[in-house]
Amino acid sequence: MIFNTSPTDIIKIRRSVRTYTKKAVEQEKKGIMREVLDNLRGQYFRFDLIDFQLEEGMKLGTYGMIKGASTFIIGILNKELMDDYDAAVEFGYAFEGIILKATELGLGTCWLGGTFNSKDAMKMIALKDNEQVVMVSPIGYGGNIRGFEKLTRKLSKADQRKPWKELFFHKDFNTPLSIKEAGPYADVLHMVRLAPSASNKQPWRILKSHKTYDFYNVNMPTPSNKKQKFMMSFNDMGIAKAHFDYVANEKGLKGQWLKKDDIKDESFTYVGSWEWHNEVEDTH
Ligand SMILES: Cc1cc2nc3c(=O)[nH]c(=O)nc-3n(C[C@H](O)[C@H](O)[C@H](O)COP(=O)(O)O)c2cc1C
């Protein structure tokens, strides 16, 4: 994704917007967003943009309530990959790029896990047999935060992120990573910490080990943790990777993503690693 503004600045101003004004998204901005969506089309997922007037009481997402929106980004996944962790991570990575691009254009967004309960909206999306809508985000101009939106933010503690020492570790999960040990990656990790996540659960844990930052998901499937919720925690992991990637790139930190094959998942699920290039190691 190419941004014209600093990703750090975009990440800092993004927040979920659930109340929208009547002001329509300009055609020019829709055109930019359509181009972004086309470029992000992957092997297993694609994105669409539809204009659709949300009616009073129409449900979207798994919680919260969206008001007034009339343009939506739709995330569509191949049905066969509904249970695939890697696909969910990749999807999350791509969708967060879209969210940050919309934020750069001055548009409000809100990740909404699930689909429309409206036949009219679904007709506009024209799904193929093997496709399913898994994520939706309104795009538009945010209005005053009203009672129910305030309540949603309060219930999901939307403005509170876990402290650094509960998210980032060094060598093992008993040892928090110090800001000094993070070196040039401290700014990157600060921006991972601001990532949105389903119900603001922040399931990401990152372990600095030899030459890599290893990404783990702490959410575990339990009877009370329904499958859809569990899969969304892998979307959250993709979002964390996106923030890491964009900010590392902004800071000129070079590296590559890989998946180690010698990591045994214990209490957490390993999703992948960032291996930094040697020139960073000297100052790291
Ligand atoms: C994968 C995912 C699914 C989400 N699903 C919903 C949803 O169904 N309804 C909703 O109101 N918010 C949803 N959210 C938004 C989160 O509640 C929000 O990102 C979090 O509380 C942090 O607040 P912020 O985005 O304002 O920083 C979702 C976020 C993510 C990343």
Side-chain angles (χ1 to χ4, degrees):
M1 178 72 60
I2 296 164
F3 297 104
N4 302 314
T5 320
S6 133
T8 298
D9 290 347
I10 302 172
I11 287 168
K12 281 186 182 162
I13 61 163
R14 186 218 57 81
R15 64 165 184 81
S16 295
V17 174
R18 296 182 178 83
T19 309
Y20 291 83
T21 63
K22 287 199 165 71
K23 183 177 172 190
V25 178
E26 297 82 346
Q27 289 303 334
E28 193 197 341
K29 291 190 181 177
K30 283 189 202 166
I32 296 171
M33 289 311 296
R34 283 210 176 87
E35 208 175 306
V36 165
L37 304 186
D38 286 347
N39 289 336
L40 282 171
R41 176 188 273 266
Q43 204 179 343
Y44 310 118
F45 48 75
R46 68 182 175 95
F47 305 97
D48 202 352
L49 184 153
I50 63 166
D51 288 316
F52 177 76
Q53 192 57 54
L54 203 61
E55 289 148 29
E56 195 71 28
M58 191 175 274
K59 204 176 162 326
L60 247 183
T62 43
Y63 58 93
M65 180 90 95
I66 300 296
K67 294 259 178 179
S70 55
T71 302
F72 297 87
I73 304 286
I74 316 290
I76 301 160
L77 185 67
N78 185 317
K79 276 184 188 161
E80 285 148 34
L81 287 147
M82 293 295 286
D83 298 336
D84 186 300
Y85 298 169
D86 289 339
V89 173
E90 250 183 74
F91 177 93
Y93 182 102
F95 205 83
E96 182 65 357
I98 297 167
I99 294 286
L100 294 177
K101 189 69 198 177
T103 309
E104 181 180 49
L105 296 178
L107 300 171
T109 60
C110 185
W111 277 80
L112 296 164
T115 187
F116 282 96
N117 68 349
S118 152
K119 282 197 180 119
D120 292 341
M122 295 306 282
K123 259 190 223 155
M124 298 179 77
I125 303 168
L127 292 179
K128 298 190 192 101
D129 286 348
N130 66 343
E131 291 182 328
Q132 187 155 334
V133 173
V134 287
M135 201 63 66
V136 171
S137 171
I139 53 171
Y141 293 96
N144 290 338
I145 295 190
R146 299 214 304 257
F148 68 86
E149 182 166 12
K150 267 193 193 152
L151 188 66
T152 307
R153 294 194 70 81
K154 201 170 164 206
L155 290 176
S156 60
K157 299 197 173 94
D159 295 311
Q160 293 170 29
R161 292 297 188 267
K162 291 184 194 298
W164 166 290
K165 64 179 184 340
E166 288 179 27
L167 298 172
F168 310 126
F169 299 88
H170 197 191
K171 293 185 180 134
D172 61 59
F173 285 111
N174 296 317
T175 317
L177 177 71
S178 70
I179 299 213
K180 195 162 171 253
E181 284 159 346
Y185 280 91
D187 290 344
V188 176
L189 295 174
H190 277 305
M191 291 306 116
V192 169
R193 197 175 152 260
L194 297 188
S197 57
S199 305
N200 201 26
K201 289 265 190 257
Q202 308 160 64
W204 356 272
R205 299 293 178 273
I206 300 180
L207 189 66
K208 183 184 175 196
S209 56
H210 177 64
K211 261 184 94 56
T212 58
Y213 282 98
D214 303 331
F215 285 57
Y216 290 83
N217 178 0
V218 290
N219 264 20
M220 293 306 271
T222 61
S224 65
N225 190 0
K226 286 205 209 105
K227 198 171 88 185
Q228 187 201 13
K229 267 197 192 164
F230 183 55
M231 290 315 291
M232 276 201 277
S233 66
F234 287 94
N235 296 151
D236 295 339
M237 294 308 300
I239 300 172
K241 282 179 75 176
H243 282 212
F244 191 101
D245 216 4
Y246 293 138
V247 179
N249 185 49
E250 176 183 358
K251 305 282 170 195
L253 298 168
K254 302 250 179 318
Q256 63 187 19
W257 292 104
L258 52 85
K259 213 160 174 188
K260 296 180 180 176
D261 46 23
D262 58 343
I263 292 192
K264 281 198 198 76
D265 294 345
E266 284 171 15
S267 27
F268 307 157
T269 311
Y270 168 69
V271 300
S273 301
W274 169 266
E275 182 181 58
W276 65 81
H277 286 171
N278 284 338
E279 64 266 27
V280 180
E281 202 177 17
D282 305 338
T283 55
H284 195 197

